[in-house]
């Protein structure tokens, strides 16, 4: 079953509601640190009250010295050293290499969207954008790059964050443990529309994921009626010089691949809900939806042409 319904925003994008192996370890670390900090705070607050009430002044000099040595040096060293050792002990697991045969997906951060390329074990690689679908219970190796400035790839529910640098690939291994729809974000300020650079993550049961992979290898259905008019407008207005749609003359590589854009869960990198209304809005008012985006707006197109373009892109699913 495709669980495409969004969780509450706090849960679809929360490191404290883990749905992946890495995120589970990070959440555990957070609770241990928070618990220990709470205990230490309570003890210190109690000692402060005791001091105000004049408790230490009544103690013998030897007891006062012992309090300073134990409370000021021994206990903090042991507690902080223990927490540090525990935190560091998680690092090798979080940074471990993926086992052989792991699904590989490369993701390129661009201002302000995500280019996603699957390298399945069988069949040719294919490209998509602003959406990552993964099978549950299996590791996936993400190769992260940037096409322009530094971005940071983060799916809080699934694992830790990893920076994306121009000219220096980084790697992140994720292993989702729950199915569902999650939200990923860019976690490094990267320009005007940094806050409008999100993506959807859909974790599926393995058979469902295989079906989706299989579908990506096929071409989208041939357009007919108003959608065919939209396809002709798409090609005539120059959209094809930036966008690719497999099975058509559109083979641009500057912008997102739109082969199955009609089936995506959101539009404009997690900025608009999916649907014809959002497609029309994005095409005509690009500069308002995402300030600074490279795509020029097409506000000059008449309403009927925007409708046809939206109908065509909607049909690609
Ligand atoms: Cu990309 Cu912030």
């Amino acid at each position: 079953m495709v669980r495409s319904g969004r969780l509450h925003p706090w849960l679809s994008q929360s490191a404290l509601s883990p749905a992946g192996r890495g995120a589970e370890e990070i959440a555990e670390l957070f609770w241990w640190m928070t618990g220990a900090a709470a205990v230490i705070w309570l003890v210190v607050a109690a000692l402060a009250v005791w001091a105000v009430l004049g408790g230490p002044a009544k103690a013998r000099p030897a007891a006062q010295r012992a309090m300073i040595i134990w409370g000021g040096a021994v206990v903090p060293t042991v507690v902080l050293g223990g927490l540090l050792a525990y935190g560091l002990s998680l690092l090798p697991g979080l940074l471990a290499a993926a086992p052989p045969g792991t699904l590989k997906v490369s993701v390129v951060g661009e201002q302000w969207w995500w280019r996603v390329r699957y390298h399945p074990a069988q069949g040719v690689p294919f490209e998509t954008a602003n959406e990552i679908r993964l099978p549950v219970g299996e590791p996936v190796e993400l190769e992260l790059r940037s096409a322009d400035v530094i971005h940071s790839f983060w799916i809080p529910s699934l694992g830790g964050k990893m920076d994306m640098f121009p000219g220096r690939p980084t790697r992140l291994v994720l292993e989702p443990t729950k199915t569902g729809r999650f939200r990923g974000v860019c976690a490094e300020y990267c320009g005007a529309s940094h806050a409008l650079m999100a993506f959807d993550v859909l974790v599926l049961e393995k058979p469902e994921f295989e079906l989706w992979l299989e579908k990506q290898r096929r071409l989208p259905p041939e357009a007919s009626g108003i959608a065919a008019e939209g396809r002709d407008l798409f090609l005539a207005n120059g959209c094809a010089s930036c966008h690719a749609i497999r099975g058509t003359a559109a083979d641009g590589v500057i912008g997102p691949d739109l082969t199955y854009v009609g089936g995506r869960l959101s539009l404009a990198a997690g900025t608009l809900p999916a649907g014809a209304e959002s497609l029309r809005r994005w095409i005509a008012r690009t500069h308002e939806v995402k300030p600074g985006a490279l795509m020029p707006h097409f506000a000059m197109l008449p309403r009927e042409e925007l409708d046809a373009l939206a109908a065509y892109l909607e049909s690609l699913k």
Side-chain angles (χ1 to χ4, degrees), residues 145-200:
R145 296 168 183 274
S146 168
D148 34 53
V149 298
I150 298 177
H151 302 271
S152 184
F153 180 95
W154 193 27
I155 311 169
S157 303
L158 298 193
K161 72 176 79 139
M162 184 62 81
D163 279 1
M164 310 169 101
F165 305 100
R168 177 173 167 263
T170 46
R171 255 156 238 288
L172 182 66
V173 177
L174 295 178
E175 189 177 329
T177 52
K178 291 183 191 151
T179 56
R181 178 176 170 181
F182 307 100
R183 190 165 183 268
V185 290
C186 178
E188 177 80 36
Y189 180 73
C190 55
S193 283
H194 153 74
L196 302 173
M197 184 174 174
F199 58 102
D200 290 292

Side-chain angles (χ1 to χ4, degrees), residues 44-255:
V44 171
L47 285 172
V49 171
W50 184 55
V52 168
L53 297 178
K58 291 176 205 148
R60 278 176 293 125
Q64 289 175 351
R65 215 170 17 249
M67 263 188 278
I68 289 169
I69 291 169
W70 282 91
V74 179
V75 173
T77 304
V78 170
V79 171
L80 295 181
L83 287 173
L84 178 68
Y86 167 52
L88 290 178
S89 74
L90 296 177
L91 273 184
L94 292 171
L95 298 174
T102 298
L103 172 69
K104 282 193 173 55
V105 181
S106 44
V107 183
V108 183
E110 313 229 3
Q111 284 173 317
W112 290 277
W113 60 283
W114 310 83
R115 186 188 296 274
V116 180
R117 180 167 264 261
Y118 280 75
H119 306 270
Q122 279 112 40
V124 288
F126 62 87
E127 199 166 305
T128 172
N130 302 326
E131 189 173 297
I132 299 177
R133 298 199 184 208
L134 299 172
V136 70
E138 282 187 19
V140 55
E141 183 180 5
L142 298 151
E143 189 203 55
L144 307 171
R145 296 168 183 274
S146 168
D148 34 53
V149 298
I150 298 177
H151 302 271
S152 184
F153 180 95
W154 193 27
I155 311 169
S157 303
L158 298 193
K161 72 176 79 139
M162 184 62 81
D163 279 1
M164 310 169 101
F165 305 100
R168 177 173 167 263
T170 46
R171 255 156 238 288
L172 182 66
V173 177
L174 295 178
E175 189 177 329
T177 52
K178 291 183 191 151
T179 56
R181 178 176 170 181
F182 307 100
R183 190 165 183 268
V185 290
C186 178
E188 177 80 36
Y189 180 73
C190 55
S193 283
H194 153 74
L196 302 173
M197 184 174 174
F199 58 102
D200 290 292
V201 183
L202 199 55
V203 178
L204 303 166
E205 297 291 352
K206 178 84 173 171
E208 240 184 304
F209 175 73
E210 289 294 337
L211 276 177
W212 177 78
L213 265 192
E214 189 53 44
K215 183 179 166 186
Q216 300 300 309
R217 295 187 186 115
R218 296 194 301 266
L219 296 177
E222 188 66 30
S224 60
I226 183 175
E229 286 170 36
R231 178 200 54 211
D232 297 342
L233 286 165
F234 187 89
L235 297 171
N237 280 293
C239 310
S241 46
C242 288
H243 295 284
I245 297 175
R246 296 194 286 281
T248 72
D251 58 359
V253 294
I254 294 170

